[in-house]
Amino acid sequence: MEHNKIISVSNLTKTFGDFTAVNNISFEVAKGEIFGFLGANGAGKTTAMKMLIGISKPSSGEATVAGFDIAKQSEMVKKNIGYMSQKFSLYDDLTIKENITFFGGIYGLSRKEIKEKTAILIAELELEEVANQLVGALPLGWKQKLSFSVALLHEPKIIFLDEPTGGVDPITRRQFWEMIYAQAHKGTTIFVTTHYMDEAEYCDRVSIMVEGKIEALDSPKNLKKQFKVDSMNEVFLKLARNIE
């Protein structure tokens, strides 16, 4: 099973002065898995994710992402992952086409590759009519889909999604999860943070963070069985109450 691990985390810790944001966490993620990284706001999810994507150095512990050490090989980590932030990091004052070209350049694609991928992407998302419109004019759901697709432009092995469905309506959220499933089906590993507990049900496995520690890690089905409840929301409430 070892070679199948695309993320491997061991005793990862991040402190800010006296405050421990991420407290000695260890877990592994298999290739092609949809791994949910759950927790209330302030539980340490985003801090942990920033270490894994190579933009924040751990205080102690170690981790590899796509086979690269997050502390020593952060540039290689960045090349092998896609990342979609909470605010869908697209530029509102650039057109759809310009955004794709810009990010393609950041990901190191050649002009020819960018041109080919832009055409495919615009066709897949059925955005031909609006390809030259500013991204700022797009509805939120479209921005979200475009942002997800742009993060996949360089065909990364893993994509990190930070609260990807925040603020969008339930129908758009469901459509977005269909895109996630399709991508996982192609073998891409999905690492997703969310505070919507119903979305946890869509993941292969979930970890639940409470105050910087991973307090539970298993498939949604097993967690519900373990805590003798019917929903992930109840699992989460039980965990949060136990800690208080």
Side-chain angles (χ1 to χ4, degrees):
M1 191 67 180
E2 264 312 296
H3 66 283
N4 201 17
K5 296 284 178 249
I6 195 151
I7 299 175
S8 187
V9 177
S10 176
N11 306 113
L12 203 60
T13 298
K14 180 74 177 184
T15 54
F16 298 97
D18 294 338
F19 175 66
T20 304
V22 175
N23 191 349
N24 205 27
I25 63 171
S26 300
F27 63 92
E28 290 176 325
V29 178
K31 185 181 185 303
E33 190 171 26
I34 300 176
F35 188 80
F37 204 55
L38 313 182
N41 289 338
K45 299 191 305 284
T46 303
T47 306
M49 190 188 249
K50 279 181 176 163
M51 288 191 276
L52 294 178
I53 62 176
I55 60 174
S56 173
K57 286 263 189 280
S59 304
S60 63
E62 52 200 34
T64 57
V65 170
F68 300 101
D69 183 306
I70 59 165
K72 300 187 187 90
Q73 299 170 296
S74 60
E75 288 312 307
M76 288 307 295
V77 168
K78 288 176 199 165
K79 281 196 173 80
N80 281 277
I81 65 167
Y83 172 61
M84 179 174 155
S85 70
Q86 287 169 308
K87 295 287 170 269
F88 317 146
S89 59
L90 298 167
Y91 289 97
D92 280 352
D93 54 351
L94 295 179
T95 66
I96 291 171
K97 246 183 190 158
E98 287 166 345
N99 262 291
I100 301 170
T101 305
F102 175 76
F103 283 101
I106 284 184
Y107 292 138
L109 300 178
S110 68
R111 280 193 176 165
K112 183 170 174 284
E113 285 173 315
I114 291 173
K115 210 172 170 186
E116 286 166 2
K117 284 180 185 287
T118 302
I120 293 167
L121 186 57
I122 285 172
E124 268 180 8
L125 292 175
E126 298 177 0
L127 290 171
E128 291 97 339
E129 310 258 308
V130 292
N132 294 312
Q133 280 187 23
L134 295 184
V135 160
L138 284 179
L140 201 54
W142 281 107
K143 265 191 202 179
Q144 178 200 43
K145 287 172 193 163
L146 180 62
S147 186
F148 182 63
S149 303
V150 164
L152 290 163
L153 210 52
H154 56 310
E155 294 172 29
K157 298 184 177 78
I158 309 170
I159 182 159
F160 287 87
L161 308 172
D162 192 6
E163 304 275 354
T165 55
V168 295
D169 63 90
I171 292 166
T172 308
R173 271 171 58 194
R174 185 165 288 277
Q175 288 171 340
F176 187 73
W177 274 93
E178 281 164 15
M179 286 179 81
I180 290 178
Y181 277 138
Q183 203 51 46
H185 197 66
K186 292 178 187 169
T188 309
T189 305
I190 315 282
F191 186 101
V192 55
T193 71
T194 178
H195 60 265
Y196 292 116
M197 291 302 140
D198 59 321
E199 292 189 347
E201 309 270 358
Y202 303 147
C203 301
D204 297 316
R205 282 190 312 144
V206 294
S207 83
I208 300 179
M209 265 184 112
V210 182
E211 294 178 0
K213 289 186 171 142
I214 291 178
E215 293 293 345
L217 201 170
D218 211 329
S219 68
K221 189 178 162 194
N222 288 348
L223 286 171
K224 286 185 283 190
K225 205 192 272 175
Q226 185 192 326
F227 287 92
K228 302 183 176 61
V229 292
D230 299 324
S231 73
M232 283 304 294
N233 202 35
E234 291 168 286
V235 170
F236 187 71
L237 287 173
K238 271 200 156 181
L239 269 175
R241 284 199 194 110
N242 285 349
I243 304 298
E244 275 164 21

mmCIF file of all heavy atoms in Angstrom, residues 47-91:
data_model
loop_
_atom_site.group_PDB
_atom_site.id
_atom_site.type_symbol
_atom_site.label_atom_id
_atom_site.label_comp_id
_atom_site.label_asym_id
_atom_site.label_seq_id
_atom_site.Cartn_x
_atom_site.Cartn_y
_atom_site.Cartn_z
ATOM 1 N N THR A 47 -4.233 26.312 8.187
ATOM 2 C CA THR A 47 -2.799 26.315 8.541
ATOM 3 C C THR A 47 -2.142 25.017 8.081
ATOM 4 O O THR A 47 -1.048 25.015 7.511
ATOM 5 C CB THR A 47 -2.619 26.476 10.071
ATOM 6 O OG1 THR A 47 -3.335 27.636 10.486
ATOM 7 C CG2 THR A 47 -1.159 26.630 10.450
ATOM 8 N N ALA A 48 -2.836 23.898 8.314
ATOM 9 C CA ALA A 48 -2.297 22.594 7.900
ATOM 10 C C ALA A 48 -2.180 22.533 6.374
ATOM 11 O O ALA A 48 -1.168 22.092 5.837
ATOM 12 C CB ALA A 48 -3.197 21.474 8.413
ATOM 13 N N MET A 49 -3.207 23.017 5.694
ATOM 14 C CA MET A 49 -3.187 22.977 4.235
ATOM 15 C C MET A 49 -2.054 23.831 3.668
ATOM 16 O O MET A 49 -1.377 23.427 2.724
ATOM 17 C CB MET A 49 -4.528 23.447 3.668
ATOM 18 C CG MET A 49 -4.646 23.208 2.173
ATOM 19 S SD MET A 49 -6.129 23.964 1.492
ATOM 20 C CE MET A 49 -7.101 22.567 1.079
ATOM 21 N N LYS A 50 -1.818 24.987 4.271
ATOM 22 C CA LYS A 50 -0.737 25.867 3.795
ATOM 23 C C LYS A 50 0.627 25.178 3.905
ATOM 24 O O LYS A 50 1.497 25.387 3.061
ATOM 25 C CB LYS A 50 -0.731 27.177 4.579
ATOM 26 C CG LYS A 50 -1.769 28.166 4.076
ATOM 27 C CD LYS A 50 -1.717 29.466 4.860
ATOM 28 C CE LYS A 50 -2.690 30.487 4.292
ATOM 29 N NZ LYS A 50 -2.942 31.582 5.242
ATOM 30 N N MET A 51 0.809 24.369 4.941
ATOM 31 C CA MET A 51 2.070 23.620 5.058
ATOM 32 C C MET A 51 2.153 22.577 3.939
ATOM 33 O O MET A 51 3.195 22.411 3.309
ATOM 34 C CB MET A 51 2.169 22.952 6.431
ATOM 35 C CG MET A 51 2.410 23.923 7.563
ATOM 36 S SD MET A 51 2.827 23.080 9.114
ATOM 37 C CE MET A 51 1.201 22.698 9.758
ATOM 38 N N LEU A 52 1.035 21.899 3.683
ATOM 39 C CA LEU A 52 1.042 20.830 2.689
ATOM 40 C C LEU A 52 1.258 21.338 1.265
ATOM 41 O O LEU A 52 1.815 20.633 0.435
ATOM 42 C CB LEU A 52 -0.268 20.028 2.747
ATOM 43 C CG LEU A 52 -0.501 19.235 4.035
ATOM 44 C CD1 LEU A 52 -1.850 18.540 3.985
ATOM 45 C CD2 LEU A 52 0.603 18.215 4.281
ATOM 46 N N ILE A 53 0.825 22.568 0.992
ATOM 47 C CA ILE A 53 1.018 23.074 -0.376
ATOM 48 C C ILE A 53 2.335 23.843 -0.518
ATOM 49 O O ILE A 53 2.610 24.440 -1.546
ATOM 50 C CB ILE A 53 -0.180 23.924 -0.864
ATOM 51 C CG1 ILE A 53 -0.385 25.170 -0.007
ATOM 52 C CG2 ILE A 53 -1.444 23.090 -0.913
ATOM 53 C CD1 ILE A 53 -1.489 26.092 -0.511
ATOM 54 N N GLY A 54 3.136 23.837 0.542
ATOM 55 C CA GLY A 54 4.486 24.386 0.433
ATOM 56 C C GLY A 54 4.591 25.889 0.604
ATOM 57 O O GLY A 54 5.596 26.480 0.228
ATOM 58 N N ILE A 55 3.558 26.542 1.194
ATOM 59 C CA ILE A 55 3.674 27.994 1.363
ATOM 60 C C ILE A 55 3.889 28.396 2.819
ATOM 61 O O ILE A 55 4.012 29.566 3.134
ATOM 62 C CB ILE A 55 2.477 28.774 0.749
ATOM 63 C CG1 ILE A 55 1.149 28.368 1.383
ATOM 64 C CG2 ILE A 55 2.415 28.570 -0.757
ATOM 65 C CD1 ILE A 55 -0.034 29.215 0.918
ATOM 66 N N SER A 56 3.939 27.395 3.725
ATOM 67 C CA SER A 56 4.206 27.693 5.129
ATOM 68 C C SER A 56 5.083 26.573 5.680
ATOM 69 O O SER A 56 4.807 25.395 5.449
ATOM 70 C CB SER A 56 2.875 27.770 5.892
ATOM 71 O OG SER A 56 3.108 27.890 7.272
ATOM 72 N N LYS A 57 6.152 26.950 6.363
ATOM 73 C CA LYS A 57 7.094 25.938 6.872
ATOM 74 C C LYS A 57 6.595 25.358 8.205
ATOM 75 O O LYS A 57 6.195 26.108 9.087
ATOM 76 C CB LYS A 57 8.467 26.581 7.106
ATOM 77 C CG LYS A 57 9.234 26.881 5.822
ATOM 78 C CD LYS A 57 10.243 25.784 5.502
ATOM 79 C CE LYS A 57 11.166 26.174 4.350
ATOM 80 N NZ LYS A 57 10.547 25.996 3.033
ATOM 81 N N PRO A 58 6.634 24.026 8.344
ATOM 82 C CA PRO A 58 6.217 23.442 9.622
ATOM 83 C C PRO A 58 7.191 23.796 10.744
ATOM 84 O O PRO A 58 8.385 23.978 10.483
ATOM 85 C CB PRO A 58 6.235 21.939 9.356
ATOM 86 C CG PRO A 58 6.938 21.729 8.072
ATOM 87 C CD PRO A 58 7.010 23.027 7.348
ATOM 88 N N SER A 59 6.681 23.896 11.975
ATOM 89 C CA SER A 59 7.556 24.125 13.132
ATOM 90 C C SER A 59 8.295 22.835 13.474
ATOM 91 O O SER A 59 9.452 22.843 13.878
ATOM 92 C CB SER A 59 6.735 24.586 14.338
ATOM 93 O OG SER A 59 6.001 25.743 13.999
ATOM 94 N N SER A 60 7.600 21.702 13.319
ATOM 95 C CA SER A 60 8.240 20.397 13.501
ATOM 96 C C SER A 60 7.401 19.341 12.795
ATOM 97 O O SER A 60 6.301 19.616 12.330
ATOM 98 C CB SER A 60 8.389 20.051 14.987
ATOM 99 O OG SER A 60 7.123 19.943 15.592
ATOM 100 N N GLY A 61 7.957 18.122 12.727
ATOM 101 C CA GLY A 61 7.289 17.046 12.002
ATOM 102 C C GLY A 61 7.641 17.109 10.529
ATOM 103 O O GLY A 61 8.377 17.990 10.083
ATOM 104 N N GLU A 62 7.118 16.161 9.770
ATOM 105 C CA GLU A 62 7.443 16.133 8.342
ATOM 106 C C GLU A 62 6.262 15.636 7.518
ATOM 107 O O GLU A 62 5.331 15.027 8.049
ATOM 108 C CB GLU A 62 8.675 15.269 8.086
ATOM 109 C CG GLU A 62 8.589 13.899 8.689
ATOM 110 C CD GLU A 62 9.981 13.265 8.841
ATOM 111 O OE1 GLU A 62 10.955 13.998 9.093
ATOM 112 O OE2 GLU A 62 10.050 12.038 8.681
ATOM 113 N N ALA A 63 6.341 15.913 6.231
ATOM 114 C CA ALA A 63 5.297 15.446 5.319
ATOM 115 C C ALA A 63 5.833 15.404 3.896
ATOM 116 O O ALA A 63 6.700 16.190 3.534
ATOM 117 C CB ALA A 63 4.094 16.387 5.383
ATOM 118 N N THR A 64 5.313 14.460 3.124
ATOM 119 C CA THR A 64 5.614 14.442 1.694
ATOM 120 C C THR A 64 4.291 14.553 0.940
ATOM 121 O O THR A 64 3.272 13.988 1.353
ATOM 122 C CB THR A 64 6.338 13.152 1.240
ATOM 123 O OG1 THR A 64 5.531 12.026 1.598
ATOM 124 C CG2 THR A 64 7.707 13.022 1.880
ATOM 125 N N VAL A 65 4.332 15.302 -0.147
ATOM 126 C CA VAL A 65 3.178 15.473 -1.017
ATOM 127 C C VAL A 65 3.648 15.146 -2.429
ATOM 128 O O VAL A 65 4.635 15.715 -2.897
ATOM 129 C CB VAL A 65 2.635 16.922 -0.923
ATOM 130 C CG1 VAL A 65 1.586 17.177 -1.999
ATOM 131 C CG2 VAL A 65 2.046 17.192 0.460
ATOM 132 N N ALA A 66 2.988 14.188 -3.071
ATOM 133 C CA ALA A 66 3.385 13.713 -4.415
ATOM 134 C C ALA A 66 4.842 13.245 -4.423
ATOM 135 O O ALA A 66 5.538 13.360 -5.422
ATOM 136 C CB ALA A 66 3.157 14.800 -5.465
ATOM 137 N N GLY A 67 5.297 12.756 -3.277
ATOM 138 C CA GLY A 67 6.659 12.221 -3.180
ATOM 139 C C GLY A 67 7.721 13.247 -2.832
ATOM 140 O O GLY A 67 8.893 12.917 -2.719
ATOM 141 N N PHE A 68 7.325 14.502 -2.636
ATOM 142 C CA PHE A 68 8.303 15.562 -2.340
ATOM 143 C C PHE A 68 8.152 16.056 -0.906
ATOM 144 O O PHE A 68 7.033 16.164 -0.386
ATOM 145 C CB PHE A 68 8.143 16.732 -3.322
ATOM 146 C CG PHE A 68 8.350 16.323 -4.752
ATOM 147 C CD1 PHE A 68 7.274 16.112 -5.600
ATOM 148 C CD2 PHE A 68 9.637 16.112 -5.248
ATOM 149 C CE1 PHE A 68 7.456 15.705 -6.922
ATOM 150 C CE2 PHE A 68 9.839 15.709 -6.568
ATOM 151 C CZ PHE A 68 8.758 15.502 -7.400
ATOM 152 N N ASP A 69 9.282 16.368 -0.297
ATOM 153 C CA ASP A 69 9.308 16.853 1.079
ATOM 154 C C ASP A 69 8.809 18.300 1.132
ATOM 155 O O ASP A 69 9.360 19.170 0.456
ATOM 156 C CB ASP A 69 10.756 16.758 1.585
ATOM 157 C CG ASP A 69 10.893 17.157 3.038
ATOM 158 O OD1 ASP A 69 10.448 18.269 3.392
ATOM 159 O OD2 ASP A 69 11.443 16.372 3.816
ATOM 160 N N ILE A 70 7.783 18.554 1.955
ATOM 161 C CA ILE A 70 7.177 19.896 1.950
ATOM 162 C C ILE A 70 8.119 20.982 2.464
ATOM 163 O O ILE A 70 8.000 22.141 2.093
ATOM 164 C CB ILE A 70 5.842 19.957 2.747
ATOM 165 C CG1 ILE A 70 6.055 19.551 4.213
ATOM 166 C CG2 ILE A 70 4.766 19.122 2.089
ATOM 167 C CD1 ILE A 70 4.902 19.924 5.130
ATOM 168 N N ALA A 71 9.072 20.604 3.320
ATOM 169 C CA ALA A 71 9.993 21.611 3.860
ATOM 170 C C ALA A 71 11.176 21.851 2.919
ATOM 171 O O ALA A 71 11.572 22.978 2.680
ATOM 172 C CB ALA A 71 10.489 21.183 5.239
ATOM 173 N N LYS A 72 11.715 20.763 2.351
ATOM 174 C CA LYS A 72 12.943 20.886 1.553
ATOM 175 C C LYS A 72 12.697 21.036 0.050
ATOM 176 O O LYS A 72 13.556 21.504 -0.683
ATOM 177 C CB LYS A 72 13.835 19.655 1.783
ATOM 178 C CG LYS A 72 14.254 19.455 3.228
ATOM 179 C CD LYS A 72 15.270 18.306 3.344
ATOM 180 C CE LYS A 72 15.579 17.968 4.796
ATOM 181 N NZ LYS A 72 14.669 16.929 5.325
ATOM 182 N N GLN A 73 11.530 20.571 -0.415
ATOM 183 C CA GLN A 73 11.273 20.581 -1.866
ATOM 184 C C GLN A 73 9.957 21.280 -2.195
ATOM 185 O O GLN A 73 9.204 20.840 -3.052
ATOM 186 C CB GLN A 73 11.231 19.133 -2.380
ATOM 187 C CG GLN A 73 12.530 18.369 -2.175
ATOM 188 C CD GLN A 73 12.339 16.882 -2.475
ATOM 189 O OE1 GLN A 73 11.588 16.186 -1.810
ATOM 190 N NE2 GLN A 73 13.026 16.388 -3.495
ATOM 191 N N SER A 74 9.715 22.413 -1.507
ATOM 192 C CA SER A 74 8.406 23.066 -1.668
ATOM 193 C C SER A 74 8.119 23.483 -3.110
ATOM 194 O O SER A 74 6.973 23.460 -3.553
ATOM 195 C CB SER A 74 8.266 24.253 -0.716
ATOM 196 O OG SER A 74 9.261 25.208 -0.977
ATOM 197 N N GLU A 75 9.165 23.836 -3.875
ATOM 198 C CA GLU A 75 8.931 24.234 -5.272
ATOM 199 C C GLU A 75 8.422 23.059 -6.107
ATOM 200 O O GLU A 75 7.565 23.221 -6.970
ATOM 201 C CB GLU A 75 10.207 24.826 -5.909
ATOM 202 C CG GLU A 75 10.572 26.209 -5.380
ATOM 203 C CD GLU A 75 9.379 27.184 -5.354
ATOM 204 O OE1 GLU A 75 8.719 27.344 -6.405
ATOM 205 O OE2 GLU A 75 9.097 27.776 -4.289
ATOM 206 N N MET A 76 8.957 21.862 -5.833
ATOM 207 C CA MET A 76 8.499 20.657 -6.546
ATOM 208 C C MET A 76 7.076 20.303 -6.123
ATOM 209 O O MET A 76 6.267 19.852 -6.938
ATOM 210 C CB MET A 76 9.443 19.473 -6.286
ATOM 211 C CG MET A 76 10.794 19.584 -6.973
ATOM 212 S SD MET A 76 10.670 19.900 -8.757
ATOM 213 C CE MET A 76 9.899 18.394 -9.339
ATOM 214 N N VAL A 77 6.782 20.508 -4.842
ATOM 215 C CA VAL A 77 5.412 20.267 -4.363
ATOM 216 C C VAL A 77 4.454 21.149 -5.162
ATOM 217 O O VAL A 77 3.463 20.688 -5.720
ATOM 218 C CB VAL A 77 5.273 20.569 -2.843
ATOM 219 C CG1 VAL A 77 3.795 20.596 -2.431
ATOM 220 C CG2 VAL A 77 6.024 19.535 -2.008
ATOM 221 N N LYS A 78 4.796 22.445 -5.255
ATOM 222 C CA LYS A 78 3.908 23.401 -5.942
ATOM 223 C C LYS A 78 3.671 23.024 -7.403
ATOM 224 O O LYS A 78 2.588 23.241 -7.936
ATOM 225 C CB LYS A 78 4.479 24.822 -5.854
ATOM 226 C CG LYS A 78 4.379 25.423 -4.453
ATOM 227 C CD LYS A 78 5.049 26.786 -4.420
ATOM 228 C CE LYS A 78 5.386 27.204 -3.003
ATOM 229 N NZ LYS A 78 6.326 28.320 -2.956
ATOM 230 N N LYS A 79 4.698 22.462 -8.056
ATOM 231 C CA LYS A 79 4.556 22.083 -9.473
ATOM 232 C C LYS A 79 3.611 20.895 -9.663
ATOM 233 O O LYS A 79 3.063 20.694 -10.738
ATOM 234 C CB LYS A 79 5.929 21.713 -10.055
ATOM 235 C CG LYS A 79 6.789 22.912 -10.417
ATOM 236 C CD LYS A 79 7.936 22.472 -11.338
ATOM 237 C CE LYS A 79 8.705 23.671 -11.865
ATOM 238 N NZ LYS A 79 9.666 24.190 -10.875
ATOM 239 N N ASN A 80 3.497 20.070 -8.636
ATOM 240 C CA ASN A 80 2.735 18.831 -8.771
ATOM 241 C C ASN A 80 1.319 18.896 -8.196
ATOM 242 O O ASN A 80 0.618 17.892 -8.173
ATOM 243 C CB ASN A 80 3.501 17.674 -8.116
ATOM 244 C CG ASN A 80 4.611 17.185 -9.015
ATOM 245 O OD1 ASN A 80 4.386 16.398 -9.915
ATOM 246 N ND2 ASN A 80 5.818 17.691 -8.787
ATOM 247 N N ILE A 81 0.936 20.073 -7.718
ATOM 248 C CA ILE A 81 -0.402 20.204 -7.147
ATOM 249 C C ILE A 81 -1.175 21.331 -7.826
ATOM 250 O O ILE A 81 -0.595 22.221 -8.448
ATOM 251 C CB ILE A 81 -0.339 20.504 -5.628
ATOM 252 C CG1 ILE A 81 0.319 21.877 -5.370
ATOM 253 C CG2 ILE A 81 0.379 19.395 -4.878
ATOM 254 C CD1 ILE A 81 0.144 22.393 -3.969
ATOM 255 N N GLY A 82 -2.490 21.254 -7.688
ATOM 256 C CA GLY A 82 -3.354 22.371 -8.062
ATOM 257 C C GLY A 82 -3.922 22.912 -6.766
ATOM 258 O O GLY A 82 -4.034 22.180 -5.775
ATOM 259 N N TYR A 83 -4.290 24.184 -6.759
ATOM 260 C CA TYR A 83 -4.806 24.781 -5.532
ATOM 261 C C TYR A 83 -5.928 25.751 -5.861
ATOM 262 O O TYR A 83 -5.794 26.584 -6.750
ATOM 263 C CB TYR A 83 -3.669 25.509 -4.800
ATOM 264 C CG TYR A 83 -4.120 26.328 -3.600
ATOM 265 C CD1 TYR A 83 -4.739 25.708 -2.517
ATOM 266 C CD2 TYR A 83 -3.922 27.704 -3.556
ATOM 267 C CE1 TYR A 83 -5.159 26.446 -1.412
ATOM 268 C CE2 TYR A 83 -4.328 28.453 -2.456
ATOM 269 C CZ TYR A 83 -4.947 27.814 -1.387
ATOM 270 O OH TYR A 83 -5.371 28.541 -0.307
ATOM 271 N N MET A 84 -7.029 25.599 -5.163
ATOM 272 C CA MET A 84 -8.142 26.529 -5.339
ATOM 273 C C MET A 84 -8.476 27.105 -3.975
ATOM 274 O O MET A 84 -8.840 26.379 -3.064
ATOM 275 C CB MET A 84 -9.334 25.772 -5.917
ATOM 276 C CG MET A 84 -10.555 26.635 -6.126
ATOM 277 S SD MET A 84 -11.834 25.668 -6.963
ATOM 278 C CE MET A 84 -13.293 26.554 -6.406
ATOM 279 N N SER A 85 -8.317 28.410 -3.854
ATOM 280 C CA SER A 85 -8.528 29.045 -2.550
ATOM 281 C C SER A 85 -9.999 29.382 -2.338
ATOM 282 O O SER A 85 -10.808 29.282 -3.256
ATOM 283 C CB SER A 85 -7.706 30.330 -2.476
ATOM 284 O OG SER A 85 -8.269 31.285 -3.342
ATOM 285 N N GLN A 86 -10.319 29.798 -1.142
ATOM 286 C CA GLN A 86 -11.705 30.123 -0.799
ATOM 287 C C GLN A 86 -12.297 31.177 -1.719
ATOM 288 O O GLN A 86 -13.472 31.187 -1.994
ATOM 289 C CB GLN A 86 -11.766 30.654 0.636
ATOM 290 C CG GLN A 86 -11.572 29.561 1.666
ATOM 291 C CD GLN A 86 -11.372 30.136 3.052
ATOM 292 O OE1 GLN A 86 -10.539 30.994 3.267
ATOM 293 N NE2 GLN A 86 -12.113 29.649 4.000
ATOM 294 N N LYS A 87 -11.442 32.096 -2.145
ATOM 295 C CA LYS A 87 -11.982 33.219 -2.938
ATOM 296 C C LYS A 87 -11.827 32.983 -4.440
ATOM 297 O O LYS A 87 -11.902 33.906 -5.233
ATOM 298 C CB LYS A 87 -11.276 34.528 -2.530
ATOM 299 C CG LYS A 87 -11.555 34.930 -1.092
ATOM 300 C CD LYS A 87 -12.979 35.463 -0.937
ATOM 301 C CE LYS A 87 -13.371 35.646 0.499
ATOM 302 N NZ LYS A 87 -14.021 34.505 1.137
ATOM 303 N N PHE A 88 -11.609 31.720 -4.818
ATOM 304 C CA PHE A 88 -11.489 31.343 -6.238
ATOM 305 C C PHE A 88 -10.465 32.208 -6.984
ATOM 306 O O PHE A 88 -10.721 32.681 -8.077
ATOM 307 C CB PHE A 88 -12.823 31.455 -6.990
ATOM 308 C CG PHE A 88 -14.011 30.925 -6.274
ATOM 309 C CD1 PHE A 88 -15.249 31.501 -6.420
ATOM 310 C CD2 PHE A 88 -13.896 29.834 -5.427
ATOM 311 C CE1 PHE A 88 -16.362 31.003 -5.748
ATOM 312 C CE2 PHE A 88 -15.002 29.335 -4.745
ATOM 313 C CZ PHE A 88 -16.223 29.931 -4.912
ATOM 314 N N SER A 89 -9.350 32.465 -6.397
ATOM 315 C CA SER A 89 -8.220 33.262 -6.895
ATOM 316 C C SER A 89 -8.147 33.720 -8.363
ATOM 317 O O SER A 89 -7.080 33.979 -8.858
ATOM 318 C CB SER A 89 -6.938 32.507 -6.577
ATOM 319 O OG SER A 89 -6.999 31.234 -7.206
ATOM 320 N N LEU A 90 -9.260 33.781 -9.077
ATOM 321 C CA LEU A 90 -9.206 34.306 -10.448
ATOM 322 C C LEU A 90 -9.162 35.834 -10.413
ATOM 323 O O LEU A 90 -9.560 36.441 -9.429
ATOM 324 C CB LEU A 90 -10.450 33.866 -11.232
ATOM 325 C CG LEU A 90 -10.629 32.360 -11.404
ATOM 326 C CD1 LEU A 90 -12.033 32.065 -11.893
ATOM 327 C CD2 LEU A 90 -9.609 31.785 -12.376
ATOM 328 N N TYR A 91 -8.688 36.415 -11.506
ATOM 329 C CA TYR A 91 -8.632 37.877 -11.574
ATOM 330 C C TYR A 91 -9.880 38.429 -12.243
ATOM 331 O O TYR A 91 -10.125 38.175 -13.424
ATOM 332 C CB TYR A 91 -7.360 38.327 -12.312
ATOM 333 C CG TYR A 91 -6.139 38.083 -11.465
ATOM 334 C CD1 TYR A 91 -5.362 36.950 -11.627
ATOM 335 C CD2 TYR A 91 -5.812 38.973 -10.430
ATOM 336 C CE1 TYR A 91 -4.267 36.705 -10.805
ATOM 337 C CE2 TYR A 91 -4.716 38.728 -9.609
ATOM 338 C CZ TYR A 91 -3.956 37.601 -9.803
ATOM 339 O OH TYR A 91 -2.874 37.358 -8.973
#
